[in-house]
């Protein structure tokens, strides 16, 4: 009985010793954080703001009922009307990704990817490099029923003791044929820093 217990204990020790053999490279001052944690390093636009905007806008649009039957949508890059650098492409991509996950829409090549789509069609149809039966035919791209456009603006107020930044994000869904705005929403964020 003692020999059996000793054998199990040795196996358990060996297994626990082998469980974490991956070496850690780099500085010991760096660690992974929760990507959903509220980020308050500065009062400039940050990851928490991007997540709040994308989640709020996609939830609002998905729940509006406008996108019945999974229509084709083209997403335009969000316009930055603030005085700071904001990677608005990331906001655009987050909104598009979250809408894609809801399954309420399909997406046409966006305004920045359209040239790549055209180049690929030309390459397949004009280069003579591809087997004819596998070539994507021209004239079969699906046109968007709607387009999504948005912008982010800010108002910055400073005093000797405070800095207040007010962000306003606006997004709208426009029917391409009629030009009518079918849905609009906005998200406001205020960040204040005491000096």
């Amino acid at each position: 009985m003692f020999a059996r217990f000793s054998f199990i204990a040795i196996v358990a020790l060996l297994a626990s010793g082998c469980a974490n053999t991956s070496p850690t490279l780099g500085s010991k001052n760096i660690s992974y954080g929760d990507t959903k944690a509220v980020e308050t390093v500065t009062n400039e636009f940050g990851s928490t703001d991007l997540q709040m905007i994308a989640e709020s806008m996609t939830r609002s649009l998905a729940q509006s009922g406008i996108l019945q039957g999974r229509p084709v949508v083209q997403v335009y890059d969000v316009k930055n009307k603030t005085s700071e650098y904001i990677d608005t492409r990331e906001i655009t991509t987050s909104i598009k990704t979250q809408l894609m996950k809801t399954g309420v829409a399909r997406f046409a090549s966006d305004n920045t990817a359209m040239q790549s789509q055209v180049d690929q069609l030309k390459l397949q149809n004009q280069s003579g490099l591809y087997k004819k039966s596998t070539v994507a035919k021209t004239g079969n791209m699906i046109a968007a029923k709607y387009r999504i456009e948005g912008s982010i603006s800010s108002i910055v107020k400073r005093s000797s003791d405070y800095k207040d930044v007010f962000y306003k994000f606006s997004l709208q869904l426009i029917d391409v044929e009629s030009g009518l705005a079918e849905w609009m929403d906005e998200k406001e964020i205020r960040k204040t820093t005491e000096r």
Side-chain angles (χ1 to χ4, degrees), residues 2-23:
F2 178 73
R4 185 171 159 201
F5 176 75
S6 295
F7 176 74
I8 292 171
I10 291 171
V11 170
L13 282 172
L14 287 173
S16 67
C18 297
N20 189 9
T21 59
S22 300

Side-chain angles (χ1 to χ4, degrees), residues 51-61 185-187:
Q51 289 168 351
M52 281 195 305
I53 286 170
E55 288 170 9
S56 173
M57 292 294 125
T58 53
R59 187 180 330 107
S60 175
L61 180 54
D185 203 349
E186 55 190 27
K187 173 74 176 167

